[in-house]
Amino acid sequence: MLALRGPRLADGRTVDLLLSAERIEAVGTPGSLAPPAGAQEADLSGYLLLPAPAEPHAHHDTALTGSGGGPPATGQAALRRRITEAALIQLGHGATAQRSHVRIGGAESLAALEAALETARALRGLAELSVVAVPRLLTGLAGAENRALLSEAAKMGAGALGGSPDLDPDPAGYLDVVLGIAEEHGCAIDLHTDGADPARLARLASAAGACRSGVVIGPCGGLSLLAPEDAARAAGRLAAAGITVVCLPQGPCGLAAARGGAAVRLLTTAGVRVAAGGGALRDAVNPVGRGDPLDTAHQLAARGLYRPAEAYRAVSGRARAALGLPEVRIEAGFPAELLAVRGRTVADALSLAYSRLVIHRGRIVARTSAVREYCGAGAAGGPELPRQATGY
């Protein structure tokens, strides 16, 4: 059992919590909860406690390759090391659940998928990593091998099937193949699309209505370039079909065109569930990607697309829902997936939350501590200056 003492909640209350058996057992006023003997305790006074964020759109197999000076290593050991490091970077930032798109096909065949699945098993207990199998071509004679590989990927344990219909000579045929294999194996669907073709979005929305598993698309940067009436009509169809859109405020990833930004306000107004992900993490597409959900939420808020609390929900509750995971609330009975950050408000957390404590399945799995010190003397006779800053 783990007792959390004195964190502040987003609604302003200061509480104590007891966590047990991967769930929140009790929430009470400070000092009101008595943990059993031997329970671990964490003093979180000065921290804001939030539902843990999730990463709904990562590319761990190509992460951390942006400054290598040559083609990235593709051997199993190198892939596992890279995927593990990327996953741990995101876990340290608070993402206890992550979904990574991993390419299949070509000379490497299923090597990256195998490495990602092995890493997911090794990380069990620290973080929940799910994998999307991403083929390039799927239609015609050129796509025959990838069709077989996609079916094999589903049998191996890929949590979702994806790819980019926009890059196939027959986008509609690509979509049909993915939907058919996903239906056969009970996999979720997570597709890259620019969203600039209303007819293609309409077909996707129509097909998604018949899917038993969840359908996620993104980043849909081209949607914002459509005529307003066409964009509104497309957004309405996505909402009616229950499709989630994952936007990438940091910029495009390797399978998404760098055109515009997701029409977050339009989609939200239409009733589409909009989540936000990090996308590229220090790879050739974005060599300065941070893999930090709070930074992703910060960009949504800084651009005026959402207020801070709503921006955080895009990387927490809505991101978890995109992954098919249960809701987290800081109430008894809910999963103990939590993030504590230095600060008093969600706006604080999105601005200067360097110090963090991450809880997965009721256990502390990562800590980051930051101390800022000021060196040198202030001006003689001036006001007394602090030597150390708090709130980081």
Side-chain angles (χ1 to χ4, degrees), residues 60-66 68-83 108 111-112 115:
H60 289 346
D61 58 328
T62 57
L64 312 173
T65 60
T74 57
Q76 281 291 304
L79 281 164
R80 284 197 301 271
R81 183 167 56 251
R82 195 158 64 230
I83 294 168
E108 284 75 41

Side-chain angles (χ1 to χ4, degrees), residues 52-56 94-98 276-277 293 314-316 319-320 323 325:
E55 175 51 76
T96 61
Q98 304 168 25
V315 301
S316 56
R320 284 183 61 85
L323 303 185
L325 298 173

Side-chain angles (χ1 to χ4, degrees), residues 1-7 16-27 33-44 49 336-340 357-367:
M1 179 171 285
L2 174 62
L4 306 180
R5 298 297 191 188
D16 284 355
L17 293 89
L18 294 180
L19 313 181
S20 178
E22 304 182 6
R23 295 199 167 266
I24 300 172
E25 183 169 295
V27 180
L33 304 178
Q40 182 184 5
E41 295 194 21
D43 181 3
L44 294 183
L49 188 66
E337 302 289 322
L338 304 169
L339 171 65
L357 183 145
V358 185
I359 294 171
H360 173 54
R361 295 185 177 180
R363 296 174 50 246
I364 297 171
V365 293
R367 291 179 188 266

Side-chain angles (χ1 to χ4, degrees), residues 150-151 154 159-162 175-190 211-215:
L150 192 60
S151 291
L161 306 183
L175 179 60
D176 288 342
V177 172
V178 173
L179 292 171
I181 296 175
E183 183 72 11
E184 178 184 353
H185 295 280
C187 294
I189 297 165
D190 194 333
C211 290
R212 291 178 296 174
S213 302
V215 178

Side-chain angles (χ1 to χ4, degrees), residues 124-320:
R124 201 163 288 155
L126 283 176
E128 186 168 342
L129 174 62
S130 62
V131 183
V132 185
V134 177
R136 194 184 187 285
L137 299 178
L138 278 181
T139 64
L141 186 60
E145 181 178 353
N146 282 348
R147 292 195 293 274
L149 288 176
L150 192 60
S151 291
E152 184 62 25
K155 295 173 186 175
M156 290 169 61
L161 306 183
S164 179
D166 301 350
L167 300 179
D168 194 281
D170 179 4
Y174 188 109
L175 179 60
D176 288 342
V177 172
V178 173
L179 292 171
I181 296 175
E183 183 72 11
E184 178 184 353
H185 295 280
C187 294
I189 297 165
D190 194 333
L191 294 165
H192 289 71
T193 181
D194 185 38
D197 186 330
R200 196 173 299 163
L201 287 178
R203 179 179 175 83
L204 176 60
S206 176
C211 290
R212 291 178 296 174
S213 302
V215 178
V216 177
I217 64 173
C220 293
L223 189 62
S224 62
L225 305 179
L226 296 177
E229 60 274 16
D230 292 335
R233 192 177 303 112
R237 286 173 173 149
L238 296 177
I243 293 174
T244 296
V245 172
V246 175
C247 64
L248 303 178
Q250 281 191 140
C253 63
L255 290 173
R259 296 204 297 165
V264 170
R265 289 178 176 170
L266 170 74
L267 290 165
T268 303
T269 300
V272 178
R273 181 166 57 200
V274 178
L281 172 57
R282 303 205 316 251
D283 63 13
V285 176
N286 184 356
V288 294
R290 296 187 62 191
D292 183 353
L294 268 63
D295 184 62
T296 299
H298 168 269
Q299 293 185 52
L300 288 172
R303 295 174 188 176
L305 298 173
Y306 284 139
R307 300 292 295 169
E310 188 72 7
Y312 187 74
R313 280 192 284 274
V315 301
S316 56
R318 293 204 295 274
R320 284 183 61 85

